[in-house]
Amino acid sequence: MKTLKDVAQRAGVSTGSVSKVLNGHPSVSEVLKSKVDKAIAELNYRPNMVARSLRTKTTNTVAVMVPTSNDPYFVEFFRGVSLALRDIQCVPMLYSMEFNTDIPVNVIHEVLMRGVDGLIVSTYGWEQDIIDELFRISERLPVVSFKRSFPGTSVHSVNIDDQAGMNKAVQHLIKNGHRRIGFLAAGLDLKTGQDRLNGYRTALEASGIEFDDNLVVDCESFQIEAGYNKVQQLLKRYPRPTAIVGANDALAIGAMKYLESRNLRIPEEIAVMGYDDEPLSTLVTPKLSSVAVPVYEMTRRAVQMIDKALKGELHQAVNEMFPTEVIVRDSTDFSAHAEFEFGRFSR
Amino acid sequence: MKTLKDVAQRAGVSTGSVSKVLNGHPSVSEVLKSKVDKAIAELNYRPNMVARSLRTKTTNTVAVMVPTSNDPYFVEFFRGVSLALRDIQCVPMLYSMEFNTDIPVNVIHEVLMRGVDGLIVSTYGWEQDIIDELFRISERLPVVSFKRSFPGTSVHSVNIDDQAGMNKAVQHLIKNGHRRIGFLAAGLDLKTGQDRLNGYRTALEASGIEFDDNLVVDCESFQIEAGYNKVQQLLKRYPRPTAIVGANDALAIGAMKYLESRNLRIPEEIAVMGYDDEPLSTLVTPKLSSVAVPVYEMTRRAVQMIDKALKGELHQAVNEMFPTEVIVRDSTDFSAHAEFEFGRFSR
């Protein structure tokens, strides 16, 4: 087994310098770094052994669990976590459930056997018994839940108020003169889906617009296809709604794609509003108005929580709420002339 | 430590039945499965210990390394690998480099220390010394490279012929009457980027169209923003090109977004063609013609290679080529009336 000293010798530098390189110390010069990297490669040295002993952490790895890898929302989530973990010299291990509800318990065990420092999870779609398992794990290991809080347990969370977010979205439409607003609902068996529907309802009622059951369709999924199919029911209502809100961007985009196929002009004939403000929202034509969720800030905070918990600086579960923001683009306001947002794709 | 027998006892079934459940045997009934799962959860049993001893494999985990998690192409790649691994009862561990070229060597060591059965990697953007490291690893462990072959080494590969693919794309445009065709190049320091440019060139030459340096712009990146910016140079050429080809879909979509901002009609005034046929290609307006790469088939085959190698059925490195296909949509042919392809988003 090669040691830190072997690397230092080979590189012709001190062991302290090698440690600095391994720990990503900001004062490290490019020259020093390349010397050490070269020595590491030549000796087939395993730097983690050192990192491990130099730090209080045991594995420098955090498991990240998402329901699917095929959704831009979770892609953004995972990327945010990856970048934040890098800053604390940790490596993410991604486990994607692909909506298979049998997997999480096995994966949780798998993860624990391999040894990780913490878990950052979206429990979307998990059964209660698996969530109970997560509670047990959170007694031993820092666990941060994304977009779902579990008060009274040891699970930390980063969350948003979906009801308030959707309320603002619908207020925006009402302010633009809409009173017949169709709602593409989804996830009604989950708090997040219920909150979004409630936000729609409370916004209407606050403006003296009666809630009409006929203007709500349960899409049963958050996928584009469901929005495409289910918006057809809303178009049959009389009078026809002048605006459509999707419980997420994919549903709104599905609706847009159907309206496009029917040559209905957006927003002149029907305005369309999404929710989540995924990068896709500026890629479609017209650009989609939506409600921005600060995914990057949330993931950065989630990683901070793990870091603090490992340092023993968190003495009880933290549940932090983040603000949402209505982003007005051309799909609800043709004077918006929203720009295409490159940054969303290159972060 | 709980044993397989404890689980069997608790569930009131035979140890053979427990093994079947743990190995995902097709004959397992829902009732048996739920009994065993319940016992596992109650006993806090770690199924992997058994799976490990029951199989020839040691960890049931395959590391997957991608250059970035923020590119739909690699999202599709990772999802394909995940689904295929599930079929052989393996779990993927995703490591995303986020284009940080310092990371791979450390991650490779990290991965090996944790113990994995194999690696499936995209070496896009890796330095030669890291690739040399990969060669060393491939002597001990099955390694499959995605879209890059290393003949003469122990690294297996699943690959496509980019030159032939791009050649077909440009042929399609020539057949539609285009002779002034602009090319948004990228990755010219890599074989994949060079091959695509060569495919463009050979298609022109085979049709007696002289290759014109002025119609090629090096975008220096495969990102949407680069396409948006660099297409502006092509529009200044005289006579203006009647068609633009992107070295990938993102460059083509960036070009489309710029043309849209200038109110240039696609394809009537300028046709646009992409490459890779990412799911996004049917989401933009007009829908983007592209060259389909069979990512799912390639990932499935990559997992098969790992599986066979672990079973000792592969005695030398396998380099398998997959076919590409030109997909004609509205951005090059306004009579195409391409449908929106849901399947791409829900696979």
Side-chain angles (χ1 to χ4, degrees):
Chain A
M1 192 69 190
K2 296 293 186 294
T3 68
L4 189 70
K5 216 170 145 183
D6 297 326
V7 176
Q9 218 153 41
R10 182 94 177 200
V13 301
S14 71
T15 51
S17 297
V18 176
S19 305
K20 275 188 184 171
V21 172
L22 292 173
N23 286 288
H25 198 280
S27 75
V28 167
S29 72
E30 278 308 303
V31 176
L32 171 61
K33 197 174 166 319
S34 88
K35 272 188 198 162
V36 172
D37 282 352
K38 190 158 170 286
I40 285 171
E42 286 167 354
L43 293 172
N44 201 13
Y45 176 72
R46 309 286 172 82
N48 187 50
M49 293 301 283
V50 185
R52 205 174 277 193
S53 64
L54 288 173
R55 296 159 58 95
T56 53
K57 293 175 195 174
T58 49
T59 64
N60 298 327
T61 304
V62 171
V64 183
M65 297 169 83
V66 297
T68 171
S69 56
N70 198 27
D71 183 317
Y73 197 75
F74 290 109
V75 170
E76 209 171 350
F77 164 70
F78 177 65
R79 185 163 161 90
V81 170
S82 297
L83 294 175
L85 282 175
R86 190 201 288 172
D87 290 343
I88 62 164
Q89 285 90 52
C90 273
V91 174
M93 262 175 25
L94 178 68
Y95 290 89
S96 175
M97 306 299 122
E98 309 303 348
F99 291 120
N100 181 339
T101 51
D102 297 339
I103 292 181
V105 158
N106 286 347
V107 170
I108 282 176
H109 288 145
E110 177 79 35
V111 161
L112 293 180
M113 282 195 52
R114 294 186 166 271
V116 296
D117 288 342
L119 267 86
I120 300 177
V121 298
S122 162
T123 61
Y124 185 84
W126 290 24
E127 307 284 345
Q128 187 56 47
D129 57 336
I130 308 171
I131 290 172
D132 290 342
E133 183 74 2
L134 192 70
F135 294 164
R136 281 192 287 274
I137 286 171
S138 70
E139 304 292 332
R140 291 183 277 157
L141 208 71
V143 175
V144 182
S145 160
F146 179 71
K147 290 206 59 194
R148 184 162 171 190
S149 303
F150 300 101
T153 74
S154 304
V155 176
H156 307 283
S157 68
V158 287
N159 207 341
I160 56 164
D161 184 340
D162 278 316
Q163 181 168 332
M166 187 56 87
N167 184 298
K168 286 191 285 188
V170 175
Q171 271 184 45
H172 157 68
L173 292 171
I174 294 170
K175 217 168 56 191
N176 279 13
H178 297 284
R179 299 187 63 85
R180 291 280 290 171
I181 301 171
F183 189 78
L184 297 168
L188 293 176
D189 52 335
L190 299 168
K191 187 170 184 306
T192 184
Q194 292 155 9
D195 282 354
R196 293 176 197 198
L197 179 56
N198 284 335
Y200 162 77
R201 185 177 195 136
T202 54
L204 292 179
E205 290 172 352
S207 294
I209 302 170
E210 206 179 329
F211 174 81
D212 179 354
D213 250 349
N214 283 314
L215 291 181
V216 176
V217 184
D218 182 0
C219 296
E220 289 162 29
S221 117
F222 281 108
Q223 306 280 314
I224 292 178
E225 183 169 10
Y228 186 95
N229 291 329
K230 296 291 183 168
V231 73
Q232 301 176 32
Q233 293 180 29
L234 291 176
L235 294 180
K236 288 178 193 147
R237 303 289 177 249
Y238 183 82
R240 197 171 73 187
T242 62
I244 305 281
V245 186
N248 75 342
D249 288 338
L251 291 173
I253 288 172
M256 281 177 66
K257 290 290 143 186
Y258 181 74
L259 297 174
E260 183 185 294
S261 77
R262 294 288 305 276
N263 297 314
L264 284 161
R265 283 173 305 146
I266 306 167
E268 293 88 338
E269 293 175 88
I270 303 195
V272 180
M273 178 109 202
Y275 190 93
D276 286 340
D277 196 33
E278 292 173 7
L280 283 184
S281 53
T282 69
L283 199 60
V284 290
T285 308
K287 296 177 183 72
L288 181 66
S289 295
S290 192
V291 176
V293 176
V295 175
Y296 277 85
E297 291 69 20
M298 292 167 79
T299 52
R300 210 171 301 135
R301 189 77 185 98
V303 168
Q304 270 177 18
M305 287 177 183
I306 297 276
D307 195 37
K308 282 196 169 176
L310 290 171
K311 289 176 179 155
E313 294 169 12
L314 286 189
H315 302 296
Q316 57 185 41
V318 179
N319 292 291
E320 189 166 331
M321 298 297 284
F322 287 76
T324 55
E325 187 190 353
V326 173
I327 309 289
V328 178
R329 298 197 186 93
D330 309 62
S331 73
T332 62
D333 182 351
F334 60 84
S335 69
H337 298 303
E339 290 294 312
F340 179 65
E341 292 166 28
F342 301 122
R344 312 290 303 275
F345 289 89
S346 48
R347 263 204 281 224
Chain B
M1 192 68 192
K2 296 293 185 297
T3 66
L4 189 70
K5 215 170 147 183
D6 296 325
V7 175
Q9 217 152 38
R10 181 94 174 198
V13 302
S14 70
T15 51
S17 297
V18 176
S19 305
K20 275 187 183 172
V21 171
L22 292 173
N23 285 290
H25 197 279
S27 75
V28 168
S29 73
E30 277 309 301
V31 175
L32 171 62
K33 195 174 169 318
S34 87
K35 272 188 198 166
V36 171
D37 283 351
K38 192 160 170 282
I40 286 171
E42 287 166 354
L43 293 173
N44 200 13
Y45 176 72
R46 309 287 172 79
N48 187 51
M49 294 301 283
V50 184
R52 204 173 275 193
S53 64
L54 287 174
R55 296 160 59 96
T56 53
K57 294 176 193 172
T58 49
T59 64
N60 297 327
T61 305
V62 171
V64 184
M65 298 171 82
V66 297
T68 171
S69 57
N70 199 27
D71 183 318
Y73 196 76
F74 291 109
V75 170
E76 208 171 353
F77 165 69
F78 177 64
R79 184 162 162 90
V81 170
S82 295
L83 294 175
L85 282 175
R86 191 201 287 172
D87 291 342
I88 62 163
Q89 284 91 52
C90 274
V91 174
M93 263 174 28
L94 177 69
Y95 290 89
S96 175
M97 308 298 123
E98 309 304 349
F99 290 121
N100 181 337
T101 50
D102 297 339
I103 292 181
V105 157
N106 286 347
V107 169
I108 283 176
H109 288 146
E110 177 79 35
V111 160
L112 292 181
M113 284 196 50
R114 295 187 163 270
V116 295
D117 288 341
L119 267 86
I120 300 177
V121 299
S122 162
T123 61
Y124 184 84
W126 289 23
E127 306 284 347
Q128 188 56 45
D129 57 338
I130 308 171
I131 291 174
D132 289 342
E133 184 76 2
L134 192 70
F135 295 163
R136 282 192 286 276
I137 286 170
S138 71
E139 303 291 332
R140 291 182 278 156
L141 208 70
V143 175
V144 182
S145 161
F146 180 70
K147 289 205 61 194
R148 183 161 172 192
S149 304
F150 299 101
T153 75
S154 303
V155 176
H156 307 282
S157 68
V158 287
N159 207 342
I160 56 165
D161 183 340
D162 277 316
Q163 179 167 334
M166 186 57 87
N167 185 297
K168 284 191 286 186
V170 175
Q171 271 184 46
H172 157 68
L173 292 170
I174 294 170
K175 216 169 56 190
N176 280 12
H178 297 283
R179 299 186 64 85
R180 291 281 290 172
I181 302 172
F183 189 77
L184 297 167
L188 293 176
D189 52 335
L190 299 168
K191 186 170 185 304
T192 183
Q194 293 156 7
D195 281 354
R196 292 176 199 199
L197 178 56
N198 285 336
Y200 161 77
R201 184 178 196 135
T202 53
L204 292 179
E205 290 171 350
S207 294
I209 302 171
E210 206 178 331
F211 174 82
D212 178 356
D213 250 349
N214 284 313
L215 291 181
V216 176
V217 184
D218 182 0
C219 297
E220 287 162 29
S221 119
F222 281 109
Q223 305 279 315
I224 291 178
E225 183 168 9
Y228 186 95
N229 292 329
K230 296 293 184 168
V231 75
Q232 301 175 32
Q233 294 181 28
L234 292 177
L235 294 181
K236 288 178 193 145
R237 302 290 176 249
Y238 182 83
R240 197 171 74 187
T242 61
I244 305 281
V245 186
N248 75 340
D249 288 338
L251 290 173
I253 288 172
M256 282 177 65
K257 290 290 143 186
Y258 181 75
L259 297 174
E260 183 184 295
S261 77
R262 294 289 306 276
N263 296 314
L264 285 162
R265 282 172 306 147
I266 306 166
E268 293 88 340
E269 292 175 88
I270 302 197
V272 179
M273 178 109 204
Y275 190 93
D276 284 342
D277 195 34
E278 291 173 9
L280 284 183
S281 54
T282 69
L283 200 60
V284 290
T285 307
K287 297 177 183 72
L288 180 66
S289 295
S290 194
V291 176
V293 176
V295 175
Y296 277 84
E297 290 68 22
M298 290 166 80
T299 53
R300 208 171 303 134
R301 189 76 186 100
V303 168
Q304 271 176 17
M305 286 177 182
I306 296 276
D307 194 39
K308 281 196 171 174
L310 290 170
K311 288 176 181 156
E313 294 170 11
L314 286 188
H315 303 295
Q316 57 186 38
V318 179
N319 292 291
E320 191 166 329
M321 297 299 283
F322 287 75
T324 55
E325 187 189 352
V326 173
I327 310 289
V328 177
R329 298 198 185 93
D330 308 62
S331 73
T332 60
D333 182 351
F334 59 84
S335 70
H337 299 302
E339 290 294 313
F340 179 65
E341 292 167 28
F342 301 122
R344 311 291 302 275
F345 288 89
S346 48
R347 263 203 283 218

